[in-house]
Amino acid sequence: MGLFAIRDYRRLFSAQVIALFGTGLATVALGLLAYELAGPRAGAVLATALTIKMVAYVVVAPLAAAYVDRLPRRWFLTILDVVRALVVIALPFVTEVWHIYVLIGVLQTASAAFTPTFQAVIPDIVTEEADYTRALSASQVASTMESLLSPVLAAVALTFMSFNLLFLGTSAGFAVSALLVLSTRIPNARPSSHANAWDRAVAGIRTFAATPSLRGVMALNLVVAAAGSIVVVNTVNYVRDVLGGTQSDVAWMLAASGTGTLLVAVVLPRVLDRVADRFVMLIGAAVLVLAVGAAVTTSAASIAAALPTGVIWVAIGGGMALIITPTGRVLRRAVDPTGIPEVFAAQFSLSHLAWLVTYPIAGWVATQAGFTTTWTLLAGLAAIGAVTALAVWPRDEKAEAGGPAAVAVQPRIRKTEAQAQVAVATEVATREAAEAAEGTLAASQCACVRTI
């Protein structure tokens, strides 16, 4: 059965796509709203809003994972979508910068609970390894198409309407997403093996600390955040103030990054069928380090042109896809099924902890010290993350024999070995009994012959 023949996955994927496109429109609109309210300080405002988002993600996601096994996941996801729809529809009416901060705090708290819960649902619905790999790729393609097409749609829309109306598209997307989730048969989470909420909240983080491949993922999170924050935070000011572009040009430059992600996401599933996840993700890290280095060079050399900037943005999008797409496969293989919600929530928090570091650098440092200094700092962080991942993630993943997944497997191995030993012993005893019976029969026959 094909991936999209799975009814519940098909509906969840549709919900994801619709919500993503709404979010994409809101991302463009939020940057322009910040520019309207703060002008040259828009980067700092946007960085603050995104920092609030990251704090919510780092704090709330583990708590959501701790309690999600006690909640009906279908209703939980639906309510969170409704909350996000209501918050976004209020954004066009803000008149002060602090209004943005409050609404973003509420919005991202709901998203921080929604996203890891949604990610943990997919392995319960798509159980085949090959289909799950394609589900991850489809999710990446959806994110890519949003990154590519949402800015394009926004650019077209901005030619005849105010950017504030883009928030309405986001709200509608969340509302439709809620209806689709509500119509889906989502199994409730498996009961956690951890007794209390604190143990459940930190279980995923402990798993990351104990597992070499997941430590590598943690380091690669920093690479993704260092490069991605340049696109997310600095695009609006760089295009408007350095390149002299328009609102639509901001959207087109964001679409360039989405193009890079799309090109990679289209070919990656076939590559992952033949090439190890580790190799692909480390290649992605190298691409991102080189791309950020190129951004530093163009800024330092005052090469203020749309073409080289667009090429760098494409490379950043492609490098991020090389790392993000295989991550779900690595997480799933690292734990037994009962630990999937916890490890997905931990990845959600830890990845956004990296963004919590890089967003303020991209926004606040750029406002005070300029793009060259800022991007040099981010290039250094990206290089540190790449080198760390190479060092802590062993090439031979059998080295994870002491990790959580192996610990879960070892009892089954021991049980199988014990069963084999019992079977051998039973066979020997049976053979000996048969030989004894044959000996008894032969002795009886000899006794009968002598009697005759």
Side-chain angles (χ1 to χ4, degrees):
M1 182 171 64
L3 176 63
F4 287 96
I6 303 173
R7 169 189 175 274
D8 294 321
Y9 172 76
R10 187 170 63 247
R11 294 195 178 191
L12 282 177
F13 180 75
S14 299
Q16 180 192 23
V17 170
I18 293 170
L20 279 172
F21 271 90
T23 303
L25 294 176
T27 300
V28 177
L30 183 61
L32 296 174
L33 175 62
Y35 192 84
E36 182 178 86
L37 294 178
R41 296 190 64 255
V45 172
L46 194 56
T48 302
L50 293 171
T51 299
I52 293 171
K53 170 183 175 179
M54 295 304 107
V55 170
Y57 281 12
V58 170
V59 173
V60 174
L63 296 177
Y67 289 99
V68 73
D69 62 326
R70 302 180 182 181
L71 301 171
R73 292 195 290 187
R74 182 165 64 97
W75 283 103
F76 185 53
L77 292 172
T78 301
I79 291 171
L80 292 173
D81 258 341
V82 171
V83 169
R84 295 194 294 179
L86 293 175
V87 170
V88 170
I89 204 169
L91 280 170
F93 302 101
V94 304
T95 56
E96 301 290 338
V97 169
W98 69 268
H99 295 166
I100 295 179
Y101 299 155
V102 171
L103 291 174
I104 289 297
V106 177
L107 174 67
Q108 301 306 338
T109 296
S111 293
F114 183 96
T115 303
T117 305
F118 183 91
Q119 289 173 336
V121 165
I122 301 302
D124 290 338
I125 293 176
V126 183
T127 55
E128 295 294 329
E129 177 72 19
D131 284 340
Y132 181 64
T133 299
R134 280 156 180 76
L136 293 173
S137 180
S139 180
Q140 184 62 57
V141 170
S143 299
T144 299
M145 293 302 294
E146 176 269 310
S147 299
L148 175 63
L149 297 181
S150 290
V152 173
L153 293 174
V156 173
L158 288 169
T159 61
F160 59 86
M161 69 172 63
S162 167
F163 69 83
N164 283 325
L165 294 178
L166 297 180
F167 289 117
L168 297 179
T170 300
S171 183
F174 285 137
V176 175
S177 174
L179 293 175
L180 286 169
V181 170
L182 192 60
S183 69
T184 304
R185 294 168 299 190
I186 298 176
N188 289 331
R190 297 178 180 89
S192 174
S193 58
H194 301 284
N196 58 63
W198 172 252
D199 286 341
R200 289 194 294 270
V202 301
I205 294 174
R206 287 173 178 163
T207 301
F208 265 80
T211 310
S213 63
L214 299 188
R215 291 199 294 267
V217 170
M218 278 196 292
L220 292 175
N221 288 337
L222 181 61
V223 184
V224 171
S229 60
I230 292 176
V231 173
V232 176
V233 177
N234 296 142
T235 297
V236 61
N237 276 115
Y238 193 75
V239 171
R240 296 298 303 272
D241 299 335
V242 177
L243 302 183
T246 64
Q247 289 184 354
S248 294
D249 292 330
V250 172
W252 286 113
M253 192 60 71
L254 291 171
S257 179
T259 300
T261 308
L262 177 62
L263 293 174
V264 171
V266 167
V267 302
L268 202 53
R270 293 186 181 89
V271 174
L272 290 173
D273 286 339
R274 298 185 297 271
V275 181
D277 298 331
R278 175 184 181 273
F279 180 78
V280 171
M281 295 170 76
L282 290 176
I283 290 296
V287 170
L288 290 179
V289 170
L290 292 174
V292 178
V296 173
T297 301
T298 57
S299 179
S302 299
I303 305 175
L307 180 59
T309 303
V311 171
I312 293 170
W313 262 231
V314 168
I316 291 176
M320 291 174 67
L322 286 170
I323 294 176
I324 293 172
T325 302
T327 296
R329 288 159 51 99
V330 177
L331 299 183
R332 189 183 187 187
R333 290 171 181 168
V335 295
D336 59 79
T338 60
I340 286 177
E342 294 159 354
V343 79
F344 269 85
Q347 163 61 9
F348 189 75
S349 289
L350 293 170
S351 63
H352 287 90
L353 181 61
W355 291 94
L356 181 59
V357 173
T358 60
Y359 273 152
I361 293 174
W364 301 337
V365 176
T367 301
Q368 299 297 323
F371 292 116
T372 302
T373 300
T374 301
W375 294 351
T376 300
L377 290 174
L378 293 172
L381 289 177
I384 290 171
V387 171
T388 302
L390 183 63
V392 303
W393 189 347
R395 182 176 302 173
D396 181 6
E397 296 199 28
K398 292 180 180 179
E400 293 193 7
V407 170
V409 171
Q410 285 171 358
R412 294 196 293 271
I413 294 174
R414 288 195 292 268
K415 181 177 179 181
T416 303
E417 291 173 347
Q419 290 171 340
Q421 291 171 357
V422 170
V424 170
T426 302
E427 183 180 353
V428 171
T430 302
R431 188 184 304 117
E432 289 176 350
E435 291 172 352
E438 290 174 358
T440 301
L441 179 59
S444 299
Q445 290 172 341
C446 288
C448 291
V449 169
R450 284 195 300 269
T451 302
I452 295 171

